[in-house]
Amino acid sequence: MKGIVSYDAMETIRNTNEWLGATARAMGSYPAFALVPNPAFHLLSAWGRVTERSFSRMVLKPDWEIPSIVGEEGQDHIVYVEPEVKRAFGDLIHFRVARREPMPRKVLLVAPMSGHYATLMRSTVISLLPDCEVYVTDWHNARDIPVSEGKFDVEDYTSYLVDFIKHLGPDTNVIAVCQPAPLALAATAILAAENPKAQPRTLTLIGGPVDPDAAATEVTDFGNRITMGELEHLLIQSVGFKYRGAGRMVYPGLAQLSSFIAMNAESHSRAFINQIFAEARGTASEADKHNKFYDEYLAVMDMTAEFYLSTVERVFKNLEIAQNRFTVNGTPVNISKITDVAVMTVEGGNDDISAPGQCVAALDLCSGVPSEKKVQHLEPGAGHYGIFAGKSWRLNIRPLVLDFIDENAALPDSIKPKRRRKEGAKNPDCGIVNSMDDGKIAV
């Protein structure tokens, strides 16, 4: 009962702020106040609009809003978001491009379950759609999943990935971003040992904590500093009576959002103050950069308690992936069993979430993969968001990833899609390294 009270208290605070914003917006824009030549009423209304929008977005799942794809013949092709596999804790969805033949590149984009919805990768999906057949793991908000559906931890997450890859077939190219990188590596190892014919063609790991101890960040410091008992006591709560998952133990999305904002409190505060003045001046718009970014950033989802706690304990504290000691349902997962899958890692030089060194550790773990099938890339100047959705991804990393997929595709060279890659420094052991110009986050 204590956990439910805490959860509902957070929801009450959010709801109250949304109501205060709506009230301020309505009062500040009341027609009679237009007769009073005082800018305070404009600021009150502007503050209300920004506040109401911000707090209302925290409980809404954003739409994908994928624009039409322009085909070679000049026609627009509408994109439909369709469930391919439906499961209790997450679906495999397909972005079907109408009136277009399936593309030779089949990509499974593994979205993180770290507090935001899979729609955080909207720009990544949009950038891949013209050249690929794109599938995405669409994880569900734990607060909406009834307790009767059971648990969901890192082993269940890994099993979901195994099932999704099996469903898509051996010509799949897996791209795992951030949190799921070590678990995607484990899922590939399970397939290599149990069903080699179902392995993906390539595995690209972007900014993931394969070995969190390889480079310290605030995230790893927090994980090492706090005990599991403290973590469970301070952060785990029971879903309130308002939602279908009432009684389920979760790590609330609002708690995660608070920690996200605290990491860059000054820049977020400045952004909101600037937006309030922009609203008051009439220069803000529905789809300006601020609203587009924060509509997604503020939309958070709850994680099951067992998933969050097992991630911290097994991936960050016990280093089970980094030390190749991970097990699923009691069966050891041996990453060295991967021999036929080409593996690429991508890191950002300024990544403060998964610092350089954490993700590239996967290549050492894949001791069974020939050196010519390993590739690593370090993007100078790029932050965490930039390596999968920002300027660095669009200009530099995406072409490299598509080249990597093409080079390992089971297609004759005469019909492989052609791409252009900038020349870069060669690493005799791991392919292309540091081949791009400086690229920073563009939000």
Side-chain angles (χ1 to χ4, degrees), residues 218-399:
E218 287 188 27
V219 176
T220 58
D221 288 345
F222 174 78
N224 291 329
R225 188 170 62 248
I226 195 168
T227 68
M228 294 306 300
E230 290 173 326
L231 204 61
E232 184 171 1
H233 176 73
L234 295 173
L235 299 179
I236 302 305
Q237 299 175 8
S238 300
V239 176
F241 297 109
K242 183 177 176 180
Y243 300 103
R244 293 180 65 224
R248 176 178 289 280
M249 303 300 291
V250 298
Y251 174 43
L254 291 178
Q256 178 76 320
L257 179 62
S258 300
S259 65
F260 285 153
I261 292 177
M263 290 178 65
N264 296 284
E266 184 178 349
S267 59
H268 287 301
S269 298
R270 186 168 56 250
F272 277 93
I273 291 172
N274 291 340
Q275 184 68 5
I276 290 170
F277 282 106
E279 287 278 358
R281 289 191 298 265
T283 57
S285 66
E286 178 69 20
D288 58 27
K289 287 185 178 181
H290 178 95
N291 286 335
K292 286 181 67 176
F293 175 74
Y294 280 102
D295 281 355
E296 188 70 56
Y297 188 80
L298 296 175
V300 289
M301 57 182 283
D302 298 346
M303 290 177 273
T304 64
E306 56 271 17
F307 175 80
Y308 176 72
L309 294 175
S310 60
T311 298
V312 173
E313 182 174 22
R314 302 182 62 178
V315 176
F316 284 87
K317 284 183 172 292
N318 296 345
L319 302 174
E320 292 186 20
I321 298 290
Q323 298 176 4
N324 202 13
R325 297 185 292 105
F326 191 63
T327 60
V328 174
N329 297 324
T331 303
V333 177
N334 189 351
I335 297 174
S336 65
K337 292 288 186 182
I338 303 173
T339 57
D340 300 325
V341 180
V343 182
M344 178 179 187
T345 63
V346 176
E347 297 178 315
N350 291 347
D351 191 339
D352 58 352
I353 304 296
S354 295
Q358 292 188 14
C359 192
V360 74
L363 298 184
D364 290 334
L365 289 171
C366 295
S367 57
V369 177
S371 59
E372 62 270 16
K373 298 189 76 171
K374 296 180 184 179
V375 176
Q376 70 180 66
H377 175 70
L378 176 64
E379 181 70 16
H384 189 69
Y385 184 82
I387 56 177
F388 69 89
K391 180 181 177 182
S392 296
W393 164 262
R394 295 193 303 271
L395 298 183
N396 302 334
I397 298 170
R398 174 183 171 275

Side-chain angles (χ1 to χ4, degrees), residues 22-62:
T23 303
R25 173 186 55 78
M27 289 185 63
S29 58
Y30 195 69
F33 292 147
L35 299 173
V36 182
N38 192 319
F41 292 109
H42 289 290
L43 284 172
L44 178 64
S45 179
W47 176 86
R49 287 194 295 274
V50 173
T51 301
E52 180 189 16
R53 185 187 187 109
S54 300
F55 283 93
S56 65
R57 290 303 184 270
M58 295 177 185
V59 290
L60 297 175
K61 180 180 180 179

